Amino acid sequence: MQFSLPEIRPKEWIQRIKEEFFPPRILDKYVFSEFIKIFIGALITLGFLALMSSYSDIKGDMASSKGGKIHGWLFILFRLPQMLIQYIMNIAILFSVSFTVGQFSANKELVAMMAAGISFRRIVAPIVAFSCVLWFAAFFLKQTVVAPLNARANEEHKMLKEGDQNTLVGVVYQKHFKGQEGFYYIYYYDTKEEEIKGGFNYICLTKEQTPDYLLVAQRAKFDYQKGVWILKGVEETKFDDDLQVVSVQKFTEKEYTLPEKPDYFKKLKGSVEEMNFFELSEEKENRIRKGLSYGDVDIAKHTLFAEPLLIVVLTLVGCASGFFTKRMAIVSSLGVSIGVALLYMVMDPSFKSLGENEVIPIWLASWITPILFLSGLYVVYKRLKV
């Protein structure tokens, strides 16, 4: 028995699409016009609710801020595109699709269309095509608009928090770093004073990867003129080849020549939400060089592609739920929207957490949610046979 794959002829596919959809039929215009009105209304409503929610989250910071309330409003403004792409658009399209198709089904318009010989897939084709356009638009916007604005939003939030005595913005972190000749552990790097505070620990290794000496200091500052590190309150411990302690000395201040310069210890570039695909790749290489974890970076790289696909998935979910609606389309669409949104909000972060902790592969953690939804939809649409 011989198996053969069907021959794919792009020119024929393009010609069929042209004949079927261009110019748009009266039915296409009617279905799309009904959908787009609901979609725009849902976007505006959900956008307003998102703004109010954001204001509620930071109004306490705005009231106590010494940096100025304007930074709070700018933070909300710059953060809005992220909320629009990641949450608002998804919920809006799910609600508007399920409501529109549900209305057609409840009013028997769907029955009339299908009685005229038009399949259900053909009826909802304009809406699905629109969701595919949104998919590519969301991916493009996340790369070119959302990532830079997220960085601006974080900067505005730092300015808003300036003067808060309970908050150290952008400097506090505890990290292990892999150096050229050993390992570092530092408490935090104060970017204003360009000084490591709270603890500077360094263990130098021999060529055989055994400890040579250990430095434990309270502070460390780099002298650019001499090209040396000045350590304060330092304890120096030396070892022999058998890992026995040779000497332990304490100094109020001492200079050391170490391979790494201050830039090596500066805080990581920022949140992965602030980076596009190329910046994420660069960040991963940087973290590998420093011996830092990079699971969140890999997750973010896959998410750039997987997350916008959710728009198409939710469109197909809305079409299926609308098909089965018999009455009260708005109640049905609201129920489906809330249920699917909650299910996604539970599944997606859970799988990503498993990926970051290396329980499952990174690519699977990012793609498993849309894959599961698409698999379920494939079964549903196959049974519809319409």
Side-chain angles (χ1 to χ4, degrees):
M1 182 181 294
Q2 294 182 349
F3 295 93
S4 60
L5 295 172
E7 186 177 354
I8 299 175
R9 298 177 179 176
K11 290 184 179 180
E12 290 186 7
W13 278 97
I14 294 173
Q15 186 62 31
R16 287 181 186 176
I17 292 172
K18 280 184 177 181
E19 293 175 355
E20 187 70 23
F21 295 99
F22 299 96
R25 298 181 181 182
I26 295 176
L27 179 62
D28 294 331
K29 293 179 181 179
Y30 174 65
V31 171
F32 186 75
S33 64
E34 291 296 311
F35 156 75
I36 200 68
K37 288 186 290 187
I38 305 299
F39 178 66
I40 293 174
L43 275 182
I44 295 173
T45 303
L46 292 171
F48 177 76
L49 292 175
L51 287 174
M52 297 304 296
S53 176
S54 298
Y55 172 74
S56 178
D57 290 339
I58 67 167
K59 66 179 181 180
D61 293 334
M62 292 175 67
S64 61
S65 174
K66 296 181 180 178
K69 292 184 179 180
I70 183 63
H71 298 297
W73 293 112
L74 289 174
F75 166 75
I76 294 173
L77 179 64
F78 291 141
R79 200 67 177 175
L80 184 60
Q82 168 74 12
M83 293 187 292
L84 176 67
I85 298 296
Q86 191 167 356
Y87 302 109
I88 299 173
M89 188 181 294
N90 291 327
I91 298 175
I93 200 164
L94 175 59
F95 171 77
S96 54
V97 171
S98 58
F99 178 79
T100 303
V101 179
Q103 283 284 74
F104 290 153
S105 180
N107 297 335
K108 305 303 180 183
E109 291 180 87
L110 199 59
V111 175
M113 296 175 191
M114 296 174 69
I118 305 173
S119 68
F120 177 69
R121 294 183 179 88
R122 178 62 185 84
I123 294 170
V124 299
I127 300 176
V128 176
F130 177 73
S131 72
C132 292
V133 173
L134 284 183
W135 173 16
F136 289 105
F139 172 75
F140 178 76
L141 289 173
K142 281 180 72 70
Q143 298 284 300
T144 58
V145 177
V146 174
L149 288 182
N150 281 341
R152 289 289 304 276
N154 289 336
E155 287 299 320
E156 294 297 335
H157 192 255
K158 290 177 185 177
M159 294 180 185
L160 180 68
K161 298 284 285 184
E162 272 189 7
D164 187 344
Q165 295 180 355
N166 297 321
T167 305
L168 288 169
V169 180
V171 295
V172 177
Y173 69 117
Q174 301 177 44
K175 290 290 182 184
H176 291 275
F177 291 90
K178 179 183 177 183
Q180 297 179 34
E181 299 176 358
F183 292 89
Y184 298 86
Y185 176 79
I186 67 175
Y187 188 68
Y188 70 85
Y189 188 95
D190 190 331
T191 53
K192 292 183 178 180
E193 298 184 16
E194 293 191 344
E195 183 177 12
I196 295 173
K197 299 178 179 179
F200 179 90
N201 306 300
Y202 175 65
I203 182 167
C204 181
L205 303 178
T206 64
K207 294 181 180 180
E208 291 75 24
Q209 298 299 298
T210 58
D212 184 14
Y213 63 88
L214 171 67
L215 301 178
V216 178
Q218 295 177 358
R219 295 190 175 199
K221 190 176 181 68
F222 189 76
D223 189 322
Y224 286 93
Q225 292 183 345
K226 297 181 179 180
V228 297
W229 282 94
I230 301 175
L231 273 59
K232 297 181 179 180
V234 58
E235 181 178 281
E236 179 185 293
T237 305
K238 293 186 177 181
F239 303 90
D240 60 18
D241 295 337
D242 297 323
L243 302 183
Q244 300 296 318
V245 176
V246 175
S247 64
V248 178
Q249 293 179 291
K250 294 184 179 181
F251 305 94
T252 304
E253 182 177 298
K254 188 177 180 180
E255 297 178 356
Y256 290 90
T257 302
L258 303 176
E260 280 69 38
K261 302 297 185 288
D263 286 344
Y264 196 77
F265 304 104
K266 286 183 178 178
K267 194 167 174 63
L268 302 179
K269 183 175 180 179
S271 167
V272 292
E273 294 179 347
E274 302 176 14
M275 308 178 203
N276 58 34
F277 181 81
F278 302 103
E279 290 171 334
L280 286 168
S281 299
E282 182 182 345
E283 178 68 9
K284 179 179 178 179
E285 294 178 2
N286 184 33
R287 294 195 188 186
I288 291 174
R289 188 173 67 254
K290 294 182 178 181
L292 303 175
S293 62
Y294 52 86
D296 59 329
V297 177
D298 277 341
I299 287 284
K301 288 175 69 175
H302 284 280
T303 299
L304 287 175
F305 298 92
E307 195 171 79
L309 178 61
L310 185 66
I311 295 172
V312 179
V313 172
L314 294 179
T315 301
L316 297 175
V317 171
C319 290
S321 67
F323 179 82
F324 292 107
T325 299
K326 300 304 178 184
R327 61 181 64 182
M328 298 184 69
I330 190 168
V331 176
S332 175
S333 54
L334 275 173
V336 171
S337 301
I338 294 171
V340 173
L342 289 175
L343 183 61
Y344 175 79
M345 290 174 66
V346 171
M347 290 175 59
D348 191 57
S350 299
F351 285 124
K352 286 180 179 178
S353 177
L354 292 175
E356 287 187 29
N357 291 291
E358 301 181 353
V359 177
I360 59 177
I362 293 290
W363 66 268
L364 181 61
S366 303
W367 288 95
I368 190 169
T369 303
I371 288 174
L372 289 174
F373 273 79
L374 286 172
S375 300
L377 287 167
Y378 174 77
V379 174
V380 171
Y381 277 92
K382 192 173 182 180
R383 291 186 176 181
L384 286 178
K385 296 180 180 180
V386 288

